[in-house]
Amino acid sequence: MAARAMLTIKSLTSVLQNGAKSAGLGLVAAYSRGLQTFTLPDLAYDYGALGPAISGEIMQLHHQKHHQTYITNYNKAIEQLEDALAKGDSAAVVKLQSAIKFNGGGHVNHSIFWKNLTPIREGGGEPPKGSLGWAIDTHFGSLEALIQKVNAEGAALQGSGWVWLGLDKEFKKLVVETTANQDPLVTKGANLVPLLGIDVWEHAYYLQYKNVRPDYLKNIWKVINWKYASEVYEKESS
Ligand SMILES: [Fe+2]
């Protein structure tokens, strides 16, 4: 479909250029809305590199199957959206919103999640330094207090969803929030920027931790990439 869209744009450009030539115009300015589809991002580490906190089996399935499925369905939905927009079919546009939110959210959230993790030998679990470390102490008392709050909210979240550490850019403060299903953090506030998101869907832990989500939450901190969260914090809070 993406290839088809590209061809359509190319054909349109060709028609416009030929038309411009025949009209004696040296230059044609055409605006085409290109359709960008999405592909599965590579991980910066091997599937087995987060063990024993998160098994290689979970990581591979989570990345190759679950994340890929969100991307596949997201691409399908935005291609359908493009068709609906081209036809001026408002009912179809509105009907697609939930699929776009769910699958697009799944893609956005998982893309952040992979960056929030890193093997212990590459700094996983090392407490944040610099301004994020200070901000955590200021807002939560200590890193340990923040971890307890995230774990408590993540464990209490009913059904599937995410628990986040975010930066509220308007009030310049750190917040802990949860979102249901695949809702991104921004659905809780337009000024919220995700620094750290933990996937608490069963597919993120069940093969290893069965139904004991609190154990998964306890262990995931051993492979959290605070360096990445600190970089986002510094960029977004400056
Ligand atoms: Fe997931």
Side-chain angles (χ1 to χ4, degrees):
M1 193 69 178
R4 197 186 80 191
M6 290 290 290
L7 276 174
T8 305
I9 291 163
K10 208 172 163 183
S11 308
L12 176 65
T13 306
S14 172
V15 166
L16 286 170
Q17 282 172 341
N18 289 337
K21 274 179 195 164
S22 58
L25 300 174
L27 180 68
V28 59
Y31 173 73
S32 297
R33 186 175 47 81
L35 177 66
Q36 179 177 352
T37 53
F38 297 87
T39 54
L40 188 66
D42 289 334
L43 300 189
Y45 40 82
D46 293 337
Y47 289 128
L50 302 182
I54 305 176
S55 74
E57 186 185 18
I58 286 179
M59 287 301 296
Q60 184 167 7
L61 195 67
H62 201 171
H63 181 247
Q64 285 185 346
K65 302 295 181 188
H66 291 280
H67 189 174
Q68 180 61 63
T69 300
Y70 295 121
I71 290 171
T72 301
N73 291 333
Y74 183 40
N75 285 337
K76 202 182 296 176
I78 59 177
E79 285 162 1
Q80 289 170 348
L81 177 65
E82 189 188 46
D83 288 345
L85 287 168
K87 289 175 190 159
D89 186 345
S90 297
V93 169
V94 172
K95 192 179 168 190
L96 285 163
Q97 299 308 301
S98 64
I100 289 171
K101 186 181 182 188
F102 182 75
N103 294 294
H107 176 47
V108 167
N109 293 344
H110 286 87
S111 297
I112 296 168
F113 184 57
W114 309 132
K115 291 178 185 170
N116 285 143
L117 305 172
T118 197
I120 291 171
R121 65 172 179 273
E122 290 171 29
E126 275 182 25
K129 300 184 181 97
S131 55
L132 179 58
W134 287 107
I136 288 171
D137 288 348
T138 302
H139 290 101
F140 302 104
S142 66
L143 178 60
E144 189 50 43
L146 166 66
I147 289 172
Q148 282 181 17
K149 183 173 174 59
V150 170
N151 287 1
E153 296 205 16
L157 192 147
Q158 292 182 343
S160 300
W162 293 74
V163 57
W164 304 91
L165 171 65
L167 168 66
D168 185 324
K169 288 184 75 167
E170 185 180 357
F171 296 103
K172 302 205 179 309
K173 64 172 189 175
L174 296 176
V175 295
V176 172
E177 281 282 358
T178 58
T179 55
N181 304 314
Q182 290 298 353
D183 291 357
L185 180 59
V186 74
T187 59
K188 285 289 181 88
N191 298 306
L192 297 180
V193 176
L195 305 178
L196 169 64
I198 299 179
D199 189 342
V200 293
W201 280 62
E202 282 190 344
H203 69 226
Y205 62 86
Y206 198 86
L207 283 177
Q208 188 175 355
Y209 294 95
K210 301 297 183 284
N211 60 325
V212 192
R213 188 191 286 175
D215 282 357
Y216 158 70
L217 285 166
K218 190 174 93 183
N219 285 329
I220 200 170
W221 297 100
K222 295 170 184 167
V223 289
I224 288 296
N225 186 354
W226 282 109
K227 189 163 173 280
Y228 169 77
S230 296
E231 286 167 4
V232 177
Y233 177 76
E234 278 169 30
K235 180 169 162 252
E236 298 289 344
S237 60
S238 59

